[in-house]
């Protein structure tokens, strides 16, 4: 039986076993995908012995993505840029890693609002780990003007330094004004997530055909997306990114490129508590 894992701390909340389990059943693959709680102090030995324990690879989630990057002998270009790995597999005995969050975000936008590639300018709210992947995706998608605004400005500057001149920092307090000039607005902060206050932003001056994306997926319809829909803007939720980022890993461990379908979405939606 083919075995893969998702390792994080904590891990009980992870949707990944449901997602990969759905695909394993759909394609009739004799495989298993297990959630494993790995404390930070145990992560290095866990990952280094994963192959010997019978795993073909797995996903890495918070707080281990940076440590996984450091342990990989070969990484893809997104992981190299972001310094973080969320997917690992073995190749000729070497631990290899990728960051598929960027791919997942771009694929989700391509499926729901392909016009994003013509957006001209983008505003990314937040500067955490997920924001890095989102900025990478938008830059790789050909958007030449990307503004990052974050409550803690120093983190936005740190993020912008990872990229070329197309990525600049805007003041968090000016987010409404900046949003008005953008064709793509993305929330990567935790605001709007269940248990968190909503993101305070006014879309009043944002004009069609702008695309508004929220990578928060719990709840699926955040106050930001509700406001975007009410204004007739394209609104893209965070579940698409979660589903699409999983596909490359599944293919590398189980040998089948899985499809992201409405059936998968319907399977996952009831599992969201928000
Ligand atoms: P992170 O590294 O902890 O970053 C959190 C971000 O939220 C930071 O920019 C932080 O700003 C901001 N923030 C938190 N509380 C805030 C507040 N009260 N006011 C203003 N800004 C606030 O987290 P992450 O890993 O990037 O994840 C961020 C969100 O993305 C989470 O909701 C997560 O579930 C979601 N996510 C979704 C996917 C997906 O596949 N859809 C993938 C990854 C993450 P400061 O720097 O000022 O603290």
């Amino acid at each position: 039986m083919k075995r893969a894992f998702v390792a994080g701390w904590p891990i009980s909340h992870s949707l990944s076993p449901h997602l990969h389990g759905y695909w394993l059943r759909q394609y009739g693959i004799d495989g298993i995908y297990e959630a494993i709680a790995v404390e930070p102090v145990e992560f290095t030995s866990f990952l280094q012995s994963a192959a010997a324990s019978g795993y073909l690879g797995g996903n890495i989630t918070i707080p281990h993505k940076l440590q996984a990057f450091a342990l990989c002998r070969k990484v893809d270009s997104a992981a190299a840029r972001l310094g973080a790995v969320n997917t690992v597999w073995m190749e000729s005995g070497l631990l290899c890693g990728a960051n598929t969050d960027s791919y997942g975000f771009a694929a989700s936008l391509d499926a729901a609002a392909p016009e994003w590639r013509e957006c001209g300018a983008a505003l990314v709210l937040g500067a955490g780990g997920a924001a890095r992947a989102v900025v990478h995706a938008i830059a790789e998608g050909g958007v030449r003007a990307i503004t990052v605004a974050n409550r803690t400005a120093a983190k936005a500057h740190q993020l912008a330094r990872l990229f070329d001149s197309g990525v600049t920092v805007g003041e968090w307090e000016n987010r409404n004004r900046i949003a008005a000039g953008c064709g793509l607005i993305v929330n990567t902060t935790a605001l709007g997530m269940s248990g968190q206050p909503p993101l305070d932003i006014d879309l009043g001056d944002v004009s069609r055909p702008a695309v508004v994306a929220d990578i928060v997926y719990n709840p699926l319809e955040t106050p930001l997306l509700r406001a975007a829909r009410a204004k007739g803007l394209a609104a893209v939720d965070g579940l698409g990114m979660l589903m699409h980022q999983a596909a490359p890993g599944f293919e590398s461990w189980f040998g089948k490129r899985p499809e992201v379908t409405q059936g998968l979405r319907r399977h996952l939606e009831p599992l969201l508590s928000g």
Side-chain angles (χ1 to χ4, degrees):
M1 178 185 281
K2 294 175 171 173
R3 292 171 69 208
F5 62 82
V6 55
W9 183 261
I11 197 63
S12 55
H13 63 284
S14 176
L15 281 182
S16 294
H18 300 281
L19 205 164
H20 289 279
Y22 177 92
W23 280 331
L24 286 169
R25 285 191 300 279
Q26 181 185 357
Y27 298 116
I29 293 170
D30 184 22
I32 185 164
Y33 181 96
E34 300 165 69
I36 306 180
V38 183
E39 279 191 66
V41 292
E42 288 170 356
F43 182 72
T44 298
S45 69
F46 167 80
L47 196 55
Q48 285 174 337
S49 60
S53 307
Y55 290 109
L56 294 169
N59 286 125
I60 311 294
T61 188
I62 290 169
H64 302 314
K65 292 182 184 183
L66 305 185
Q67 214 176 331
F69 172 77
L71 292 167
C72 285
R73 300 283 298 280
K74 192 175 126 190
V75 295
D76 75 346
S77 60
R81 169 79 75 174
L82 307 173
V85 152
N86 75 339
T87 303
V88 295
W89 67 96
M90 299 301 292
E91 230 175 79
S92 313
L94 291 183
L95 184 67
C96 301
N99 191 308
T100 66
D101 282 335
S102 273
Y103 161 78
F105 180 69
S108 163
L109 284 189
D110 283 342
E115 65 273 24
W116 76 274
R117 289 179 184 268
E118 315 303 328
C119 71
L123 169 61
V124 175
L125 297 152
R132 291 178 175 211
V134 163
V135 171
H136 182 71
I138 299 172
E140 290 287 299
V143 178
R144 294 279 161 259
I146 304 171
T147 305
V148 179
N150 190 49
R151 176 183 60 177
T152 308
K155 283 213 284 191
H157 284 284
Q158 245 174 31
L159 190 161
R161 278 196 291 274
L162 295 175
F163 296 88
D164 303 327
S165 54
V167 181
T168 54
V169 174
E171 285 182 32
W172 178 249
E173 290 68 27
N174 289 342
R175 58 194 180 280
N176 292 339
R177 191 180 52 71
I178 302 166
C182 288
L184 174 64
I185 297 155
V186 189
N187 175 43
T188 74
T189 74
L191 295 169
M193 212 169 125
S194 73
Q196 294 278 342
L199 170 68
D200 178 14
I201 188 165
D202 181 1
L203 300 178
D205 290 331
V206 178
S207 46
R208 287 167 74 180
V211 175
V212 177
D214 200 331
I215 70 162
V216 166
Y217 53 82
N218 207 353
L220 264 189
E221 178 155 282
T222 59
L224 171 67
L225 294 186
R226 202 172 310 128
R229 283 200 184 97
K231 247 192 92 60
L233 305 174
V236 183
D237 68 43
L239 189 55
M241 175 179 176
L242 184 82
M243 295 187 295
H244 282 281
Q245 63 76 31
F250 187 93
E251 182 178 20
S252 74
W253 315 312
F254 300 120
K256 165 83 189 166
R257 182 70 171 199
E259 262 189 280
V260 172
T261 58
Q262 284 304 316
L264 175 61
R265 178 175 274 272
R266 280 194 299 274
H267 175 69
L268 296 176
E269 278 181 3
L271 303 167
L272 301 171
S273 59

